[in-house]
Amino acid sequence: GIIIALGVFLVLSAALYGAYALLRGTELAVPTLFQPASGTRLLMSMEGFRFVETENGRVSWRMVAGSADLYENKEAQLKDIEITFVAPDGREARLLGAVATLDTVTGDAAIRRGVREVRIVTSEGYLLTTDSLFWKADQRIVRTADPFKLLGSELYLEGQGLSGNADMLTIEVDKHVKAVLQE
């Protein structure tokens, strides 16, 4: 597989900056939704959290959060999350959510709404809203089974369940699709 260099900022009683090498194609169960495994010890809480993946010296995606609780099972519980996906051609999409669970080894994340929906805003002016999204880092795919709405300057689309490719900034819809083309 392709080795990915990840920069992860962790503090374990003192500031420690570690780089993790991830192998693509490894199987991973969806992170425990928004609660650490019972009996898992909290290592630390911090304000401000950054997680970055680079490929060949280019940032392919980065995550920032307002706060993070880091647990000994390598999970982080995050609040006020923003993930920016950068496609090879320079196009960007920003994912915003209230709370998330992040596997700090794989980079996989489960993001959930708070007062506002989970949102993805693209550099081309599209807005996607839904209640939850799952980010599979090694495949660079976001996925939800929830109802969603997608709004662009010439398109309104709604349905239930979708998958999106962060490199091509494309989506596939599961069911109950309603599309309105606008002049």
Side-chain angles (χ1 to χ4, degrees):
I2 299 172
I3 295 177
I4 302 167
L6 292 180
V8 181
F9 182 72
L10 297 176
V11 178
L12 302 172
S13 75
L16 172 66
Y17 188 81
Y20 290 91
L22 301 183
L23 294 177
R24 286 193 182 253
T26 55
E27 289 297 318
L28 173 84
V30 172
T32 306
L33 276 182
F34 318 116
Q35 291 296 323
S38 64
T40 300
R41 191 167 56 96
L42 175 66
L43 294 179
M44 69 167 18
S45 295
M46 68 173 78
E47 295 297 316
F49 180 85
R50 295 180 60 86
F51 191 90
V52 178
E53 178 182 315
T54 61
E55 291 183 29
N56 301 320
R58 178 186 71 84
V59 172
S60 57
W61 66 275
R62 62 187 174 271
M63 173 189 290
V64 295
S67 65
D69 290 339
L70 303 175
Y71 293 86
E72 64 184 354
N73 67 350
K74 307 296 185 195
E75 278 189 5
Q77 300 292 317
L78 310 173
K79 292 184 180 172
D80 300 323
I81 305 97
E82 179 175 323
I83 302 175
T84 303
F85 308 105
V86 184
D89 64 5
R91 291 179 301 158
E92 290 191 357
R94 289 185 315 132
L95 185 159
L96 302 120
V99 292
T101 298
L102 170 71
D103 184 318
T104 61
V105 175
T106 64
D108 292 354
I111 301 102
R112 177 178 77 181
R113 71 170 292 150
V115 175
R116 298 185 67 185
E117 300 98 339
V118 177
R119 305 175 307 285
I120 294 181
V121 182
T122 73
S123 56
E124 293 157 325
Y126 289 96
L127 170 65
L128 175 101
T129 60
T130 188
D131 287 341
S132 68
L133 279 170
F134 298 93
W135 165 241
K136 183 76 172 151
D138 64 347
Q139 298 171 8
R140 296 179 52 72
I141 289 175
V142 290
R143 170 99 185 104
T144 185
D146 293 331
F148 71 89
K149 294 177 183 175
L150 176 68
L151 180 64
S153 60
E154 300 173 357
L155 172 73
Y156 172 78
L157 184 69
E158 64 181 49
Q160 182 165 353
L162 67 79
S163 295
N165 182 301
D167 284 328
M168 295 184 289
L169 300 182
T170 58
I171 64 167
E172 294 179 12
V173 179
D174 293 350
K175 57 189 174 182
H176 307 305
V177 182
K178 174 184 169 186
V180 178
L181 297 176
Q182 306 174 89
E183 293 288 328

